[in-house]
Amino acid sequence: MTDLKLLSTLVLSAALSATFTSSQAQQVAQPEDPALKIYRETPRKVNDLVHTKLDVRFDYKKRYMYGKEWVTLKPHFYPTDTLRLDAKGMDLKTIAVVKNGKNVPLKFTYQDSLTVAIKLDKVYRNNESYTVYIDYTAKPNELKVKGSAAINDAKGLYFINPDGTEKDKPIQIWTQGETESSSAWFPTIDKPSQKTTEEISMTVLSKYVTLSNGKLVSQKNNADGTRTDTWKQDLPHSPYLFMMAVGDFKIFKDKWRNKEVNYYLEPKYAPYAKEIFGMTPEAIEFYSKTLGVDYPWYKYSQIVVRDYVSGAMENTSATLHGAYVQGTHRELLDAYYDDGRSTIVHELFHQWFGDYVTAESWSNLTVNESFANFSETLWAEHKYGHDVADEHNYIDMQNYFRSPDGRTKNLVRFHYVDKEDVFDVVTYQKGGRILNMLRNYLGNEAFYKGLNIYLTTNAFKNGEAQQLRLALEQASGLDLNWFFNQWYYGAGHPILDISYKWDDATKTQTVYLQQSQDGQIFKLPMAIDIYTGGKKTRHKVWMNNQNDTLTFKLDSKPDLVNVDGDKILLTKKTDHKTLQEFAFQYFNAPLYLDRLEAINAAADKQSEKDAQKVLIAALNDKYYGLRDKAIRTIKLDNDAIRNAAQPILARLAQTDDNTLVQAQAIAALGSLKASGNMNLFKQALSRQSYAVQGAALNAINLLDPALAMNLAKNYEADNKGGLTAAMMNVYATSGTDAQWTFVYKQFDEAAPQAKYNALDKFSAMAGRVQKPEYAQQGISQIKDFGIKYKPQGIADPAIKFITDIKEKRAQMHDDATVKVADDAIKQINDAK
């Protein structure tokens, strides 16, 4: 499953973390749920899946799937004459055991519509297999099930626009199995500890394309205008990794070595397939060599679908992506590593960690998701360099820190309310950061050898954190119980205070380290780099206690003492360096975080020369992320900074090789409201980048709103991303009812994060339009948004903005809309 920052609901949650800390604090203070005291054991194995054969067809009108299944099993160890299968919300018509090619009916009980208890025809022993035939109907739209933070729905099988009534939306069918939703479309033992081979035959309209796990072994045209495609997966995998997809997709065929690598896209995005997914063969090669285990499956396909309930899903050999990953050339100009590229490699790495070796239970989800999160850092280092990887890692760490209760949860979690709860920032972002620390501690060679041992030992089986520990210990020869006990089986993180003292008389540098967090005290191996006389000396040290004092004999006072020289520790820290020392750090220490820390230190002291020196230099930093950060940090009301920055900003706005830096520079220049920059802004409107165009339009709007209104109309037929947001800003500020249809459509179709970002402008326009029905449309949109994402904290801002609209409509004597607003607020408050 995709890492959480790319899930719209969780990106939204992160955006709200600073805004709604009081309500989140209340959540943390709630009494502990009694369910947290229940030990979540790995489900016992009575029967083992061996092979699953399905024959399915679809009823678009009813949203049903008609299925026939032949599931082969054997007792795990003890003899048994019973079988229990997960089967959610189905009509079970026939259940029989297959004997000599004939179906012998079996008695079964299916009272809870979740699992079916089957009485077998005899007692079977674990050297005997048997095949059960099931004729059934899956009714996913009638199933009431709970999703999670990572997966916002759990009905397993999805009919998208099945009646074709939604304009500009394709007709599709796709499945989503994780966590235990495959049993909503075929009876199975829906646990990650099960492994089975698979064969699926799908009968579909002949105009449609199909995709499933494994190899397409046959296609048969039928007399009624349908076609039956049969897919076979000959290597065992877990039921939650089964998948189907049906629809009008164009297939771009690529390859890695002698294996198929295919990309399934909506026809309008097919010309950009290579631009979207083209790095895949290189990534397969990189991961295969790094792990010493070649990509293990027959093929690797990636498909993009509409209305997906998560970010992406690592179905074995057939990853499914949400629509956000696809784009035109112009959209992709503004898409950098964290805008979908990281998800592509995240899901690919799951083909080893998650699919090839699967978590024994959801308690050990870390051996799936933490690795996939960590893989994003590996690829970033390999493809884009350490600055991109370090920024990616840092953002993940901050997302974990922002979680109100992340510090209370173990990485391996045997107590939880619901299995969906383990899909969180601890399993993903914190877990990936922990693996990065472990790699740093062991060194690349030992670390990857350990991963190879783990994968080869447990191939096509299951694993958990203890097996990972043993594999890494076997590779390195080091005891790692201390590391796993504190990071995997303990909660929280160190809160580190670092201070310094130089004694000139004794030529002694003292470093004081203090951990101030509640809970456990962490053992922290780290590097301390000391810069003196133009040289850097590295010291490897351990912090073992709550308070440690380190001393270093030096020839002269150091220019810089850089604690955690690799910037690898998962820690909140307060570092009492002087501004001068941070300035030295910016110009001499090599890493992204070295420079970022210096920029942050300079941010609040912009009247000082050292701060100005850092910030102006950072405008020219080698890494675009820090150039962008510097632009957003500088205060242009400071004369010295403005005079030094303006020519640099003008150059960045026109010639930087990163479109987001160009856009940020234009935004900074726009904030000056200097008419001399108007030509620069107008020229920027002709760029291909939507982000640059949007920044330019916003800048023009600050200088000449009437001109911006006229210019915005030119882009109504072709706008995305930053340009769309800018047009909504211009229209919401100066537009009339004539522009409402455009604004409403853009808001309606926006992704959740974009909706949240546009709430203030959208609500302002809804309050101002003349037609009451337009205002009511706006209220309805905000209400629906607030209800859908109430668990993520959207209810409060939704109510606030609806209240703002209500007050404005009351001033306009629009009583009907005031009533609609009151009703909307009530619906949000009443929503569960």
Side-chain angles (χ1 to χ4, degrees), residues 499-515:
S499 58
Y500 311 88
K501 178 184 176 184
W502 169 252
D503 187 324
D504 197 53
T506 61
K507 298 291 191 268
T508 301
Q509 175 68 55
T510 304
V511 179
Y512 302 97
L513 304 175
Q514 180 182 28
Q515 295 184 42

Side-chain angles (χ1 to χ4, degrees), residues 674-688:
S675 58
N677 289 319
M678 180 63 89
N679 284 337
L680 185 153
F681 302 149
K682 288 180 178 178
Q683 290 169 5
L685 283 174
S686 65
R687 309 263 176 84
Q688 287 289 296

Side-chain angles (χ1 to χ4, degrees), residues 36-52:
L36 289 173
K37 298 184 182 299
I38 300 173
Y39 174 70
R40 305 294 178 175
E41 66 179 7
T42 300
R44 68 190 184 110
K45 291 184 176 181
V46 178
N47 289 282
D48 290 341
L49 295 172
V50 176
H51 181 68
T52 303

